[in-house]
Coordinates of all heavy atoms in Angstrom, one line a residue:
L1 N -7.0 -21.3 84.3 CA -6.8 -20.3 85.3 C -7.8 -19.1 85.0 O -8.1 -18.8 83.9 CB -5.4 -19.7 85.3 CG -4.3 -20.6 85.8 CD1 -2.9 -20.0 85.6 CD2 -4.5 -21.0 87.2
K2 N -8.3 -18.5 86.1 CA -9.2 -17.4 86.0 C -8.3 -16.1 86.0 O -7.3 -16.1 86.8 CB -10.1 -17.3 87.2 CG -11.0 -18.5 87.4 CD -11.9 -18.3 88.6 CE -12.6 -19.5 89.0 NZ -13.4 -19.3 90.2
P3 N -8.6 -15.1 85.3 CA -9.7 -15.0 84.3 C -9.3 -15.9 83.0 O -8.2 -16.2 82.8 CB -9.8 -13.5 83.9 CG -8.4 -13.0 84.2 CD -7.9 -13.8 85.4
I4 N -10.3 -16.2 82.2 CA -10.1 -17.1 81.1 C -9.2 -16.5 80.1 O -9.5 -15.4 79.6 CB -11.5 -17.5 80.5 CG1 -12.4 -18.2 81.5 CG2 -11.2 -18.5 79.3 CD1 -11.9 -19.4 82.2
N5 N -8.2 -17.2 79.7 CA -7.3 -16.8 78.6 C -7.5 -17.7 77.4 O -7.4 -18.9 77.5 CB -5.8 -16.9 79.1 CG -4.8 -16.5 78.0 OD1 -4.6 -17.3 77.1 ND2 -4.3 -15.3 78.1
L6 N -7.9 -17.1 76.3 CA -8.3 -17.9 75.1 C -7.2 -18.8 74.6 O -7.5 -19.9 74.3 CB -8.8 -16.9 74.0 CG -9.7 -17.6 72.9 CD1 -11.0 -18.1 73.5 CD2 -10.0 -16.6 71.8
A7 N -6.0 -18.2 74.6 CA -4.9 -19.0 74.1 C -4.6 -20.2 75.0 O -4.4 -21.3 74.5 CB -3.6 -18.2 73.9
R8 N -4.7 -20.0 76.3 CA -4.4 -21.1 77.2 C -5.5 -22.1 77.1 O -5.3 -23.4 77.2 CB -4.3 -20.6 78.6 CG -4.1 -21.7 79.7 CD -2.8 -22.4 79.4 NE -2.6 -23.5 80.4 CZ -3.2 -24.7 80.3 NH1 -4.0 -25.0 79.2 NH2 -3.0 -25.6 81.1
L9 N -6.8 -21.7 77.0 CA -7.9 -22.6 76.9 C -7.8 -23.4 75.6 O -8.2 -24.6 75.6 CB -9.2 -21.8 76.9 CG -10.5 -22.6 76.9 CD1 -10.6 -23.6 78.2 CD2 -11.7 -21.7 76.9
A10 N -7.3 -22.8 74.5 CA -7.1 -23.6 73.3 C -6.2 -24.8 73.5 O -6.4 -25.9 73.0 CB -6.5 -22.7 72.2
T11 N -5.1 -24.6 74.4 CA -4.3 -25.7 74.7 C -5.0 -26.8 75.4 O -4.9 -28.0 75.2 CB -3.1 -25.2 75.6 OG1 -2.4 -24.2 74.9 CG2 -2.2 -26.4 76.0
T12 N -5.9 -26.4 76.4 CA -6.7 -27.3 77.1 C -7.6 -28.1 76.2 O -7.8 -29.4 76.3 CB -7.6 -26.6 78.1 OG1 -6.7 -26.0 79.1 CG2 -8.5 -27.5 78.9
V13 N -8.2 -27.4 75.2 CA -9.1 -28.1 74.3 C -8.4 -29.1 73.5 O -8.8 -30.3 73.3 CB -9.7 -27.0 73.3 CG1 -10.4 -27.7 72.1 CG2 -10.8 -26.2 74.1
E14 N -7.2 -28.8 73.0 CA -6.4 -29.8 72.2 C -6.0 -31.0 73.1 O -6.1 -32.1 72.6 CB -5.1 -29.1 71.7 CG -5.4 -28.1 70.6 CD -6.3 -28.6 69.5 OE1 -6.0 -29.7 68.9 OE2 -7.3 -28.0 69.2
R15 N -5.7 -30.8 74.3 CA -5.4 -31.9 75.2 C -6.6 -32.8 75.4 O -6.5 -34.0 75.4 CB -4.8 -31.4 76.6 CG -3.4 -30.8 76.5 CD -3.0 -30.2 77.8 NE -1.6 -29.8 77.8 CZ -1.1 -29.0 78.7 NH1 -1.8 -28.5 79.7 NH2 0.2 -28.7 78.6
L16 N -7.7 -32.2 75.6 CA -9.0 -32.9 75.8 C -9.3 -33.8 74.6 O -9.7 -34.9 74.7 CB -10.1 -32.0 76.2 CG -10.1 -31.4 77.6 CD1 -11.1 -30.3 77.7 CD2 -10.3 -32.5 78.6
K17 N -9.2 -33.2 73.4 CA -9.5 -33.9 72.2 C -8.6 -35.1 72.1 O -9.0 -36.2 71.6 CB -9.3 -33.0 71.0 CG -10.3 -31.9 70.8 CD -10.0 -31.1 69.6 CE -11.1 -30.0 69.3 NZ -10.8 -29.2 68.1
G18 N -7.3 -35.0 72.5 CA -6.4 -36.1 72.4 C -6.7 -37.2 73.5 O -6.3 -38.4 73.3
R19 N -7.4 -36.8 74.5 CA -7.7 -37.8 75.6 C -9.0 -38.5 75.5 O -9.3 -39.4 76.2 CB -7.5 -37.1 76.9 CG -6.1 -36.7 77.3 CD -6.0 -36.3 78.7 NE -4.6 -36.1 79.1 CZ -4.2 -35.9 80.3 NH1 -5.0 -35.9 81.3 NH2 -2.9 -35.7 80.5
L20 N -9.9 -37.9 74.8 CA -11.3 -38.5 74.7 C -11.4 -39.9 74.2 O -12.3 -40.6 74.6 CB -12.2 -37.6 73.9 CG -12.7 -36.3 74.5 CD1 -13.5 -35.5 73.6 CD2 -13.5 -36.5 75.8
S21 N -10.4 -40.3 73.5 CA -10.4 -41.7 72.9 C -9.9 -42.7 74.0 O -10.1 -43.9 73.8 CB -9.5 -41.8 71.7 OG -8.1 -41.4 72.1
S22 N -9.4 -42.2 75.1 CA -9.0 -43.1 76.2 C -9.8 -42.8 77.5 O -10.5 -41.8 77.6 CB -7.5 -42.9 76.5 OG -7.2 -41.6 76.8
A23 N -9.7 -43.8 78.4 CA -10.5 -43.6 79.7 C -9.9 -42.4 80.5 O -8.7 -42.1 80.4 CB -10.3 -44.9 80.5
P24 N -10.8 -41.7 81.2 CA -10.3 -40.6 82.1 C -9.3 -41.1 83.1 O -9.4 -42.3 83.6 CB -11.6 -40.2 82.8 CG -12.7 -40.6 81.9 CD -12.3 -41.9 81.2
R25 N -8.4 -40.3 83.4 CA -7.3 -40.6 84.4 C -7.9 -40.6 85.8 O -8.7 -39.8 86.2 CB -6.2 -39.6 84.3 CG -5.5 -39.7 82.9 CD -4.6 -38.5 82.7 NE -3.5 -38.5 83.6 CZ -2.6 -37.5 83.7 NH1 -2.7 -36.4 82.9 NH2 -1.5 -37.5 84.5
E26 N -7.3 -41.5 86.6 CA -7.6 -41.4 88.1 C -6.9 -40.2 88.7 O -5.8 -39.8 88.2 CB -7.1 -42.7 88.8 CG -7.9 -43.9 88.4 CD -9.3 -44.0 89.0 OE1 -9.5 -43.2 89.9 OE2 -10.1 -44.8 88.6
L27 N -7.4 -39.6 89.7 CA -6.8 -38.5 90.4 C -6.0 -39.0 91.5 O -6.5 -39.7 92.4 CB -7.9 -37.5 90.9 CG -8.7 -36.8 89.8 CD1 -9.8 -36.0 90.5 CD2 -7.9 -36.0 88.9
R28 N -4.7 -38.6 91.5 CA -3.9 -39.1 92.6 C -4.2 -38.5 93.9 O -4.6 -37.3 94.0 CB -2.4 -38.8 92.2 CG -1.9 -39.7 91.1 CD -0.6 -39.3 90.6 NE 0.4 -39.4 91.6 CZ 1.7 -39.1 91.5 NH1 2.1 -38.6 90.3 NH2 2.6 -39.2 92.4
P29 N -4.1 -39.2 95.0 CA -4.5 -38.7 96.4 C -3.8 -37.4 96.7 O -4.3 -36.5 97.4 CB -4.2 -39.8 97.3 CG -4.2 -41.1 96.5 CD -3.8 -40.6 95.1
E30 N -2.5 -37.3 96.3 CA -1.7 -36.1 96.6 C -2.3 -34.9 96.0 O -2.3 -33.8 96.6 CB -0.3 -36.3 96.1 CG 0.5 -37.5 96.6 CD 0.4 -38.6 95.6 OE1 -0.7 -38.9 95.2 OE2 1.4 -39.2 95.3
L31 N -2.9 -35.0 94.8 CA -3.5 -33.8 94.2 C -4.8 -33.4 95.0 O -4.9 -32.2 95.3 CB -3.9 -34.2 92.8 CG -4.9 -33.2 92.1 CD1 -4.2 -31.8 92.0 CD2 -5.2 -33.6 90.7
L32 N -5.6 -34.4 95.4 CA -6.8 -34.0 96.1 C -6.5 -33.4 97.5 O -7.1 -32.4 97.9 CB -7.7 -35.3 96.3 CG -8.3 -35.9 95.0 CD1 -8.9 -37.2 95.3 CD2 -9.2 -34.9 94.4
A33 N -5.4 -33.9 98.1 CA -5.0 -33.3 99.4 C -4.5 -31.9 99.2 O -4.8 -31.0 100.0 CB -3.9 -34.2 100.0
S34 N -3.8 -31.6 98.1 CA -3.3 -30.3 97.8 C -4.5 -29.3 97.5 O -4.5 -28.2 98.0 CB -2.4 -30.3 96.6 OG -2.0 -29.0 96.2
L35 N -5.5 -29.8 96.8 CA -6.6 -29.0 96.5 C -7.4 -28.7 97.8 O -7.9 -27.5 98.0 CB -7.5 -29.7 95.5 CG -7.0 -29.9 94.1 CD1 -8.0 -30.7 93.3 CD2 -6.7 -28.6 93.4
E36 N -7.5 -29.6 98.7 CA -8.2 -29.4 99.9 C -7.5 -28.4 100.8 O -8.2 -27.6 101.5 CB -8.4 -30.8 100.7 CG -9.4 -31.7 100.0 CD -9.4 -33.1 100.6 OE1 -8.4 -33.4 101.3 OE2 -10.3 -33.8 100.3
R37 N -6.2 -28.4 100.8 CA -5.4 -27.4 101.5 C -5.7 -26.0 101.0 O -5.9 -25.0 101.8 CB -3.9 -27.7 101.5 CG -3.5 -28.9 102.4 CD -2.0 -28.9 102.5 NE -1.3 -29.1 101.3 CZ -1.0 -30.3 100.8 NH1 -1.4 -31.4 101.4 NH2 -0.4 -30.4 99.6
I38 N -5.8 -25.9 99.7 CA -6.0 -24.6 99.1 C -7.5 -24.1 99.4 O -7.7 -23.0 99.7 CB -5.8 -24.6 97.5 CG1 -4.3 -24.8 97.2 CG2 -6.4 -23.4 96.9 CD1 -4.0 -25.0 95.8
E39 N -8.4 -25.1 99.3 CA -9.8 -24.8 99.6 C -9.9 -24.3 101.1 O -10.6 -23.3 101.4 CB -10.7 -26.0 99.4 CG -12.2 -25.7 99.7 CD -13.0 -27.0 99.6 OE1 -12.5 -28.1 99.9 OE2 -14.2 -26.9 99.2
A40 N -9.2 -25.0 102.0 CA -9.3 -24.6 103.4 C -8.6 -23.2 103.6 O -9.1 -22.4 104.4 CB -8.6 -25.6 104.3
A41 N -7.6 -23.0 102.9 CA -6.8 -21.7 103.1 C -7.6 -20.5 102.6 O -7.5 -19.4 103.1 CB -5.5 -21.7 102.4

């Protein structure tokens, strides 16, 4: 989230480190639709 919060970003970094050993996840269509609604709004 903006503005960048260092503590919250640290959580993101730890999650990414744990996921790099596996394949990236597919994005579900419902998520993309939700993002598009926000972009349009």
Side-chain angles (χ1 to χ4, degrees):
L1 290 178
K2 304 177 189 180
I4 304 301
N5 178 284
L6 199 63
R8 178 62 184 82
L9 186 60
T11 300
T12 297
V13 166
E14 291 308 309
R15 286 173 175 169
L16 286 168
K17 287 180 178 179
R19 290 193 175 190
L20 283 178
S21 58
S22 57
R25 297 166 65 183
E26 292 285 346
L27 298 177
R28 291 173 59 182
E30 303 97 310
L31 169 59
L32 294 172
S34 174
L35 294 175
E36 286 168 348
R37 286 194 297 271
I38 290 173
E39 183 184 33

